[in-house]
Amino acid sequence: MKKIRKAVFPVAGLGTRILPATKAIPKEMLTIVDKPLIQYAVEEALEAGIEHFIFVTSRGKSSLEDHFDVAFELEATLSARGKSQAPLAQTRLEPGSVSYVRQQAPLGLGHAIWCARELVGYEPFAVLLPDDLMVGQPGCLAQMAAVHAEHGGNIICTQRIDPRDSERYGIVIPEEQIGSVTRISGMVEKPAPADAPSDMAIVGRYILDSDIMALLATQERGAGGEIQLTDALARAAAKGDSFGYNFEGRRYDCGDAIGFVIANLAVAMTRPGMTGPVEDFWSAQTDISGTAGKGRSHVAL
């Protein structure tokens, strides 16, 4: 089985679910505690052994490109002041390991991935949606790479959801349980709860055969008038060798304001030196209101 060397990061979206925060700042550059979302995704890919990072961007995303470039003035200033450059370590990717391609129009996730076809070539590749923050040990993509090494084919990250939320997700059609994975025969994009074939939702990680590019090239527009990756994956699943994998860990939907706030609190609670102050703040809310998270607080933000 071929090693997964390349990862595509579709980062051309407008971030409309969290406006006005994303009017001038790419949603992938919003920070969870002290790192932008895109860096968490890149670090997850590095852990999984990814060597080539392909960003599908659009207009207004230059700050994302700058984030993974050398910052001469900043680094010179830190050096002159005797300050550590360690926080910048994971923003320095190997020279030649990063590629950028533009998606000129917002035509959907499937179209964004298809825009990277020449860079992907003829080998399996990963896709990471940075606004889905995946927290696990090992990371989500590393878990999926191990599944791919065993089963091959298309590996689709799934999560069980409340069936009432099916209209927010692509939903897989399960066929057969094989150990920790589920062979799937198809999927449906954002079905009504009454029409959902299962409670297994597709979330923001994939390992895909390069054959998916040929399917995307002929894929008609689907939900929202966009070229949906889910529709192309459904066609691939009908041919066999597509699997759903419920990764071991937690997912935070950071493209949504509520999920973004929860992710910040959850990650802060894992950071040395932050746990105590965050717990003290939250306890203060409980003491004042009698119920955590309700009432007014006199604690300064």
Side-chain angles (χ1 to χ4, degrees), residues 22 25 37 75 77 88 110 126 156 165 183-184 196 209 223 233 293:
T22 52
I25 300 172
L37 282 164
E75 295 178 17
T77 299
L88 302 179
I156 300 162
D165 294 331
R183 186 186 299 275
I184 58 181
D209 283 336
L233 287 174

Side-chain angles (χ1 to χ4, degrees), residues 47 134-140 142-143 247-250:
E47 179 197 15
M134 310 297 232
V135 179
Q137 292 294 331
C140 180
Q143 294 180 38
F247 98 102
E248 297 179 9
R250 292 291 303 272

Side-chain angles (χ1 to χ4, degrees), residues 117-300:
R117 64 196 181 282
E118 297 295 335
L119 294 169
V120 166
Y122 298 96
E123 58 184 283
F125 64 102
V127 176
L128 298 91
L129 308 187
D131 49 356
D132 270 349
L133 176 63
M134 310 297 232
V135 179
Q137 292 294 331
C140 180
L141 191 61
Q143 294 180 38
M144 293 177 66
V147 171
H148 182 267
E150 180 178 357
H151 295 278
N154 296 314
I155 311 297
I156 300 162
C157 189
T158 55
Q159 178 183 51
R160 296 197 180 277
I161 60 164
D162 185 325
R164 292 174 296 181
D165 294 331
S166 63
E167 292 178 309
R168 297 171 49 201
Y169 297 93
I171 305 295
V172 305
I173 303 172
E175 181 179 282
E176 176 189 8
Q177 192 68 33
I178 308 171
S180 63
V181 304
T182 304
R183 186 186 299 275
I184 58 181
S185 60
M187 55 205 74
V188 182
E189 180 67 19
K190 300 178 181 176
D195 300 324
S198 74
D199 63 351
M200 292 176 62
I202 301 169
V203 293
R205 301 292 185 272
Y206 310 81
I207 293 177
L208 305 175
D209 283 336
S210 60
D211 293 351
I212 197 69
M213 294 300 188
L215 295 176
L216 289 171
T218 59
Q219 184 61 51
E220 297 180 354
R221 297 194 186 197
E226 297 179 338
I227 298 173
Q228 297 289 349
L229 174 62
T230 302
D231 293 340
L233 287 174
R235 293 164 63 194
K239 301 177 182 179
D241 294 330
S242 290
F243 303 91
Y245 172 70
N246 286 329
F247 98 102
E248 297 179 9
R250 292 291 303 272
R251 165 188 172 257
Y252 301 96
D253 180 4
C254 298
D256 172 84
I258 294 173
F260 177 74
V261 172
I262 291 172
N264 268 283
L265 287 170
V267 173
M269 289 295 289
T270 68
R271 294 291 182 85
M274 288 189 181
T275 303
V278 173
E279 286 181 336
D280 291 345
F281 172 81
W282 198 246
S283 296
Q285 313 314 297
T286 304
D287 293 342
I288 291 168
S289 67
T291 304
K294 295 184 178 179
R296 294 183 178 274
S297 169
H298 299 293
V299 178

Side-chain angles (χ1 to χ4, degrees), residues 67-81:
H67 184 72
F68 293 105
D69 200 354
V70 174
F72 292 104
E73 296 84 355
L74 173 61
E75 295 178 17
T77 299
L78 290 174
S79 179
R81 295 178 180 177

